[in-house]
Amino acid sequence: MAHSHDHGSQGHDHSHGAGHVHGSTDKKRVLIAACLTAGFMVAEALGGLLTGSLALLADAGHMLADSIALGLAWYAFHLAGRPATVRLTYGFGRVKTLVAYTNGIAIFAIALWIIYEAWQRLLTPAPVLGGPMLVVAIAGLLVNIAAFFVLHGGDRESLNMRGAILHVLGDLLGSVAAITAALIILATGWTPIDPILSVLVSLLILSTAWSLMREAAHVLLEGVPASLDRDLIAKDIEGTVKGVREVHHMHVWSLDGSSNMATLHACLNDGVDAHKAVSAIKKRLAAEHGIAHATVEPEFGQCADSHHEHDGEHDHAHDAPPHHGRYH
């Protein structure tokens, strides 16, 4: 019984080339955004201290964390470009997912700190200089818009890129909140609007951060990508690839949120050319399902792993329901 570990010839090469182009441009975009964010963060922090605005300080806090996060995102892209090693046979691609998950945790921590500070500010109101606050907030908005558009042109299927965009989007919303608060303070003198809007922005960011963390965790746990259905893919192979009697022991996962991979056992009819069948399966996976890297084990007769299984746990018959682990 042979194991086939070759990559799909056409699909894999195309995916790798596209991923390399995306990674190169995304790396530059993240670096530009990091420089813009870090450069204005100091000015906004000083502005928040001088004007007494929590909204500005909150946005500066976001920008400080975002500068660090964007720097980590840039480094993740840098590491991802390194070749695989003997110990890290898949390379460093998953570092980007780790950074995305870490970014989500950082956003959570910042948002909770802002909510706490806003509560303290509501209990003990402090004077806010609306005029200078408005000037600094407008300047911050312009910087954040520039950083957002720089990142928005990147690969939005990349979790690392989406994490970077989320950080900048949080800064942008923070600047909008600061501008709104400054205008209301100038018009009415009502300073509680400053911490109130800070809390609203934090709540919006929390929901988005939770979504990012959940998706990154799904990748780290090697769950099936949301765009794919493992059982339907197995049935598709059984129905379209000539000579394939059954597919089982199938696992589908993503390396970094965009590069999909699979392993499977293909039970072939007697007399079928195993090499041709495996090649056809790989081409089908790449062309129809976006799975560029697949490991296919061709089998004739009994599965080689059957002696490791408990009776009834992994039924390979065609009438076995999916929840019994037919493709597991």
Side-chain angles (χ1 to χ4, degrees):
M1 186 179 305
H3 291 256
S4 176
H5 296 280
D6 300 329
H7 302 330
S9 57
Q10 295 175 346
H12 177 71
D13 291 343
H14 174 75
S15 174
H16 180 75
H20 178 73
V21 172
H22 272 307
S24 177
T25 58
D26 288 351
K27 181 179 175 181
K28 294 177 182 177
R29 290 176 186 276
V30 169
L31 181 60
I32 293 171
C35 292
L36 286 172
T37 303
F40 190 76
M41 177 269 298
V42 177
E44 191 162 41
L46 291 174
L49 291 172
L50 293 173
T51 62
S53 168
L54 179 61
L56 283 182
L57 285 174
D59 198 36
H62 273 295
M63 296 185 85
L64 172 61
D66 292 352
S67 300
I68 298 172
L70 289 169
L72 287 174
W74 174 84
Y75 189 60
F77 279 119
H78 176 69
L79 281 180
R82 292 185 178 181
T85 67
V86 174
R87 300 292 296 173
L88 295 171
T89 57
Y90 277 124
F92 296 82
R94 188 156 283 186
V95 172
K96 295 183 289 184
T97 307
L98 283 170
V99 169
Y101 188 79
T102 305
N103 279 347
I105 295 176
I107 295 169
F108 249 84
I110 294 168
L112 291 175
W113 173 78
I114 292 171
I115 291 173
Y116 171 77
E117 286 296 321
W119 175 250
Q120 294 295 111
R121 185 65 65 90
L122 286 171
L123 293 177
T124 310
V128 179
L129 302 177
M133 175 184 173
L134 180 61
V135 174
V136 175
I138 291 175
L141 177 64
L142 295 176
V143 171
N144 289 324
I145 288 175
F148 178 78
F149 276 107
V150 167
L151 293 176
H152 196 258
D155 179 16
R156 288 188 293 279
E157 290 186 3
S158 165
L159 281 175
N160 192 37
M161 199 65 178
R162 285 168 55 189
I165 291 174
L166 175 58
H167 274 286
V168 174
L169 184 60
D171 290 334
L172 199 153
L173 290 174
S175 294
V176 171
I179 291 172
T180 304
L183 291 173
I184 292 175
I185 290 171
L186 286 173
T188 66
W190 192 54
T191 56
I193 190 62
D194 182 53
I196 289 173
L197 287 180
S198 298
V199 170
L200 289 177
V201 171
S202 296
L203 292 176
L204 286 174
I205 296 171
L206 277 175
S207 63
T208 313
W210 173 251
S211 176
L212 176 68
M213 287 175 62
R214 185 171 58 182
E215 192 167 347
H218 188 75
V219 172
L220 293 174
L221 290 171
E222 297 190 343
V224 178
S227 60
L228 300 176
D229 186 313
R230 180 197 63 172
D231 294 351
L232 290 179
I233 293 173
K235 290 178 182 177
D236 175 64
I237 293 173
E238 292 171 348
T240 60
V241 179
K242 187 177 179 180
V244 177
R245 179 165 56 85
E246 181 191 346
V247 170
H248 54 260
H249 281 340
M250 185 171 191
H251 300 274
V252 180
W253 73 99
S254 176
L255 186 63
D256 57 5
S258 58
S259 301
N260 299 325
M261 315 181 83
T263 62
L264 61 95
H265 290 196
C267 190
L268 307 178
N269 295 322
D270 292 338
V272 172
D273 187 315
H275 178 74
K276 289 183 178 179
V278 169
S279 296
I281 291 171
K282 288 175 177 289
K283 289 178 181 178
R284 183 71 182 179
L285 289 172
E288 297 298 324
H289 303 291
I291 299 175
H293 183 132
T295 300
V296 180
E297 180 176 331
E299 298 174 339
F300 294 93
Q302 187 179 19
C303 175
D305 292 340
S306 60
H307 63 282
H308 295 301
E309 299 166 3
H310 299 292
D311 293 337
E313 267 193 10
H314 300 289
D315 188 357
H316 297 290
H318 275 284
D319 58 352
H323 66 272
H324 281 176
R326 174 184 168 196
Y327 301 117
H328 176 63

